[in-house]
Amino acid sequence: MMARKLISAGLFLMLALLITSPNHSAGSLSSQRPNVLLIVADDLRNELGCYGSSVAKTPNLDRLAKRGMRFDAAYCQYPVCNPSRTSLLTGLRPDTTRITDNNTNFRTTMPDVVTLPQVFRQNGYHTTSFGKIFHRGLTMEDLRTDMDDKASWDEVRYFQTTPLGFKGEGRNLTDGKLAWCNWRAAEGADEDQPDGQIAREAINVLEQRAKDKQPFFLAVGLHKPHDPFIAPKKYFDLYPLESLKLWQAPKEPLADPAAALPGGAFREAFGKFTDRERLEFMRAYLAGVSFTDAQAGKIIDALDRLKLTENTIIVFLGDHGYHLGERGWWNKSTLFELSARAPLLVYAPKMKAKGKATARLTEFIDLYPTLVELTGLKAPHKLEGRSFAPLLDNPRLKWKEAAYTQVTRGRFAGYSVRTERWRYTEWDEGRQGAELYDHQTDPHEYRNLINEPKHKATVEQLKALLKKKS
Ligand SMILES: [Ca+2]
């Protein structure tokens, strides 16, 4: 009797040690929890083979879509780097984070918020950030301004282009008026560019984790296809200029509200593009897309080689969309579908609907609750998204009614609500214009129906839905 008591007391003590010791909780108890590989591309619109692009060459991401789920209606909350990333990494809408520009660190508005990687770190995961996860540029000035978040990561690293990687044919497409508008078909290898180094180092991290068995949250922030449009020459060679097609304006002239497109120096410079310059812009962006695809492919291949795929969730996304000349715009920051929508591919080892796509509406703020649910962790604060984990088993479930995207235009804001059929947008609460598009008949959002009497009731419904956002 005594011996049995002693044994059970001993067992109890061992169990208690297992639960309380941070090393053990990381190594043993959590070893059942899946790892997370989060790959974020910068300014990547849905220009991937798996999303029906007729031009982009993206075999690796197409393969990921076949293994996991392709989200066809995934929307960012703010089509600019820092606000979008802050929103998705805190699980909060931009009106809550109060981050709507590229210069403000979210710790100034939310000093105590627990970020997505941070919740994993607090639960014994090794968290790593390579490249651009939280917003950060690549100039020396950007690097001096510490925009990253030490509380979120065990390890943060940035990478620089080598001198060879700066060489090669290229030019500024605006005679220098827009300093960012440069392309270069670079000499050297992938590793002469930051993204190639990021892939190499990410693979090193995976090799370490395969050895030490510590659960990991590895965040890989690839810088392309964001400007400057620099990628190794071989990716430019995939896209001969004569194989590319420029956007053609519809026959009916577009009557966009003035606020719908940002103006200023950008629009002036884009207006001066020759067709040759437009084609060069497009080729340089696509080179960045294929370069991104190749780096993501290397990392996912390493995951397979190290047999980590069976216990690792893979998420690939672009932080927001992009216009490639549509409506004369060559950038982001609009509330049109091209800028608000972005790629989202998710693979989870235990998902039932592998290789399927879902047309259900998802928002990037849904990522935080999803990853927390899939790993059995607990969200430390009230999140504003909804876990899409159930869609990974059944992509046809009845789902979200609406997805919201917003942007600031000078002194006022624009808000857009997307349902499965409609997009409705208000600028300055309607004072600077409003838009209604029917995606059933007008996927390019060319016909603004806002003033058509027969849609009055729809507009009222969507107005109400827009108000429900927060
Ligand atoms: Ca971006």
Side-chain angles (χ1 to χ4, degrees):
M1 191 65 181
M2 193 64 178
R4 257 171 72 186
K5 262 193 179 163
L6 271 174
I7 289 168
S8 61
L11 275 174
F12 178 77
L13 191 68
M14 270 170 61
L15 202 63
L17 276 172
L18 273 174
I19 290 166
T20 51
S21 149
N23 287 334
H24 275 101
S25 72
S28 315
L29 280 185
S30 303
S31 63
Q32 302 303 312
R33 293 194 201 277
N35 308 300
V36 177
L37 169 62
L38 170 64
I39 307 177
V40 181
D42 203 357
D43 286 18
L44 175 67
R45 72 183 200 174
N46 293 59
E47 198 70 54
L48 302 173
C50 58
Y51 277 106
S53 167
S54 56
V55 54
K57 294 183 173 69
T58 53
N60 296 289
L61 294 169
D62 299 349
R63 214 163 58 229
L64 176 61
K66 274 190 193 144
R67 298 168 78 163
M69 182 165 288
R70 190 187 77 219
F71 288 78
D72 285 348
Y75 294 92
C76 74
Q77 273 49 80
Y78 198 112
V80 174
C81 307
N82 189 36
S84 175
R85 288 158 186 257
T86 297
S87 169
L88 80 91
L89 291 164
T90 57
L92 301 169
R93 295 191 187 280
D95 281 347
T96 309
T97 67
R98 288 176 288 140
I99 297 298
T100 56
D101 65 42
N102 269 347
N103 308 313
T104 313
N105 184 313
F106 65 90
R107 289 292 176 200
T108 60
T109 56
M110 302 175 292
D112 300 321
V113 75
V114 178
T115 69
L116 172 64
Q118 199 177 352
V119 72
F120 282 82
R121 191 176 185 209
Q122 289 175 349
N123 283 279
Y125 279 70
H126 190 282
T127 61
T128 308
S129 166
F130 285 164
K132 180 172 167 180
I133 291 296
F134 288 105
H135 176 70
R136 188 163 176 140
L138 267 180
T139 65
M140 282 320 287
E141 197 177 335
D142 293 329
L143 291 170
R144 273 195 294 271
T145 326
D146 187 2
M147 290 281 282
D148 219 299
D149 186 51
K150 291 187 175 65
S152 295
W153 310 109
D154 290 301
E155 187 185 10
V156 187
R157 285 177 68 191
Y158 303 99
F159 301 87
Q160 296 288 310
T161 310
T162 68
L164 183 62
F166 279 119
K167 290 187 181 159
E169 189 199 345
R171 67 162 170 147
N172 184 290
L173 293 169
T174 62
D175 285 332
K177 289 197 180 63
L178 304 176
W180 58 266
C181 207
N182 269 329
W183 66 266
R184 189 162 307 282
E187 291 182 21
D190 289 3
E191 290 75 19
D192 288 296
Q193 301 299 327
D195 286 352
Q197 297 163 36
I198 288 169
R200 184 188 65 207
E201 295 306 311
I203 293 166
N204 279 341
V205 167
L206 293 177
E207 282 170 355
Q208 281 168 36
R209 295 292 88 79
K211 267 187 223 146
D212 67 20
K213 310 270 192 258
Q214 192 176 357
F216 63 84
F217 185 106
L218 170 58
V220 176
L222 301 173
H223 298 278
K224 296 299 124 185
H226 194 291
D227 66 80
F229 307 105
I230 302 173
K233 181 174 180 297
K234 65 176 174 179
Y235 298 104
F236 280 75
D237 293 342
L238 293 172
Y239 302 101
L241 288 183
E242 59 276 15
S243 71
L244 305 178
K245 284 198 185 68
L246 293 172
W247 176 75
Q248 297 297 323
K251 286 194 193 90
E252 288 286 307
L254 292 167
D256 296 332
L261 289 165
F266 279 27
R267 204 143 81 183
E268 201 179 309
F270 300 154
K272 291 186 182 146
F273 276 162
T274 61
D275 276 356
R276 168 85 195 189
E277 284 158 348
R278 291 188 183 97
L279 287 167
E280 285 184 19
F281 194 123
M282 192 173 278
R283 176 181 63 179
Y285 182 90
L286 288 165
V289 172
S290 285
F291 181 41
T292 299
D293 174 80
Q295 307 323 301
K298 288 181 203 172
I299 300 167
I300 296 167
D301 286 350
L303 210 60
D304 287 341
R305 173 170 56 80
L306 297 163
K307 303 204 173 4
L308 289 166
T309 321
E310 57 206 51
N311 197 34
T312 302
I313 299 160
I314 308 171
V315 177
F316 176 89
L317 60 87
D319 62 348
H320 49 74
Y322 208 81
H323 289 240
L324 284 175
E326 293 89 357
R327 288 180 147 87
W329 189 244
W330 296 83
N331 216 276
K332 50 226 180 191
S333 313
T334 79
L335 293 179
F336 291 113
E337 188 79 356
L338 282 166
S339 171
R341 179 174 171 246
L344 173 65
L345 305 173
V346 180
Y347 161 86
K350 290 187 179 148
M351 65 191 279
K352 292 200 184 97
K354 285 184 178 137
K356 297 278 196 309
T358 182
R360 297 297 173 255
L361 296 166
T362 46
E363 301 180 281
F364 281 179
I365 44 165
D366 299 337
L367 189 63
Y368 192 146
T370 303
L371 288 176
V372 165
E373 181 181 343
L374 288 174
T375 49
L377 301 179
K378 239 182 110 200
H381 59 265
K382 192 184 171 297
L383 300 171
E384 293 177 331
R386 169 183 177 185
S387 166
F388 55 70
L391 287 177
L392 296 172
D393 291 332
N394 180 359
R396 302 174 68 92
L397 285 174
K398 190 167 158 36
W399 207 244
K400 272 195 167 181
E401 190 180 20
Y404 300 92
T405 306
Q406 66 189 78
V407 77
T408 310
R409 205 56 96 234
R411 272 180 289 170
F412 58 88
Y415 287 87
S416 193
V417 58
R418 178 74 156 90
T419 65
E420 289 199 4
R421 177 167 178 185
W422 304 95
R423 173 175 296 288
Y424 171 70
T425 303
E426 275 181 7
W427 297 98
D428 196 16
E429 298 180 337
R431 287 183 287 271
Q432 305 284 341
E435 300 158 59
L436 174 71
Y437 301 104
D438 184 352
H439 273 263
Q440 249 170 34
T441 56
D442 182 23
H444 302 296
E445 302 175 331
Y446 289 159
R447 287 188 299 280
N448 184 359
L449 306 172
I450 194 73
N451 293 320
E452 293 202 4
K454 68 172 174 180
H455 294 303
K456 211 163 170 258
T458 303
V459 168
E460 288 310 315
Q461 281 166 16
L462 291 165
K463 249 183 208 291
L465 205 51
L466 198 57
K467 288 219 169 65
K468 257 171 71 177
K469 173 181 69 69
S470 40

